[in-house]
Amino acid sequence: AKGWPRNKFVHACNVLAQMLDNDQNGCADDANVVKMIRMTQSGMAMFATENSASWNQVADTFHGQSLYADETELGCSGSSESGNCRDAAIEEILHVVTAKGVGPAYPSKFSDCYTNINSISEMQAQMDIARGGHFTSVPNNYPAGSIFHYDDTTCDYSCMGTEF
């Protein structure tokens, strides 16, 4: 967390702690989720800004989700979020918890790794319903009536599951 103000670093740590221990009893609510995050050597790669990211300082075996200090906005969390004020820490940390913890711990229910229509997880099936079909890449147009749209063309089917 080089270049991070202490208050933002503590905030990011607290976001992760609350996601893993929602009832705040001091123990992870689901030890399998924590086990999978550790087994996949996953966590947050924290840099001051996107331009200052030094990925060469991160071990090749570490699966890091980037989080930048300049997108971590303590005053923009929860009900304080608005169109102009957003704390990216919540979303980026949730990506690690879901993609590297929940998905691997419960693959038939929550995995985002399957792309074959015959072996998708229940979460992916719901995503396909919300998107109006099974699309392995971003469609030119989502069908009428679809309720989940994500238009980043660099985002493949697994990535869509993480975003969903």
Side-chain angles (χ1 to χ4, degrees):
K2 184 178 179 181
W4 272 66
R6 180 170 171 72
N7 63 335
K8 289 188 176 191
F9 178 77
V10 169
H11 169 72
C13 292
N14 285 335
V15 168
L16 177 61
Q18 290 174 0
M19 286 183 187
L20 297 176
D21 179 18
N22 194 254
D23 63 9
Q24 298 181 346
N25 68 352
C27 298
D29 297 332
D30 189 329
N32 289 329
V33 170
V34 175
K35 178 181 174 182
M36 295 311 298
I37 292 171
R38 292 182 60 150
M39 283 180 58
T40 59
Q41 298 183 39
S42 301
M44 304 311 297
M46 303 165 83
F47 304 104
T49 66
E50 186 172 4
N51 291 336
S52 71
S54 300
W55 285 99
N56 61 332
Q57 295 178 2
V58 178
D60 291 339
T61 57
F62 182 73
H63 298 274
Q65 169 66 47
S66 58
L67 179 62
Y68 308 108
D70 67 351
E71 66 179 357
T72 303
E73 298 294 339
L74 283 63
C76 299
S77 291
S79 62
S80 298
E81 182 176 341
S82 70
N84 298 323
C85 185
R86 180 178 169 275
D87 178 19
I90 295 168
E91 176 187 2
E92 302 306 338
I93 293 168
L94 182 64
H95 287 333
V96 169
V97 173
T98 57
K100 301 299 183 182
V102 177
Y106 305 100
S108 67
K109 300 262 186 218
F110 298 109
S111 180
D112 63 4
C113 292
Y114 305 124
T115 56
N116 181 321
I117 187 68
N118 297 318
S119 64
I120 61 175
S121 68
E122 291 179 30
M123 180 272 301
Q124 288 173 312
Q126 293 303 310
M127 176 183 72
D128 288 349
I129 292 168
R131 294 193 315 160
H134 179 80
F135 308 106
T136 56
S137 60
V138 176
N140 290 331
N141 294 299
Y142 283 96
S146 60
I147 59 171
F148 176 65
H149 300 188
Y150 195 77
D151 300 322
D152 180 349
T153 56
T154 66
C155 194
D156 63 10
Y157 190 73
S158 293
C159 171
M160 291 288 174
T162 300
E163 294 297 334
F164 182 69

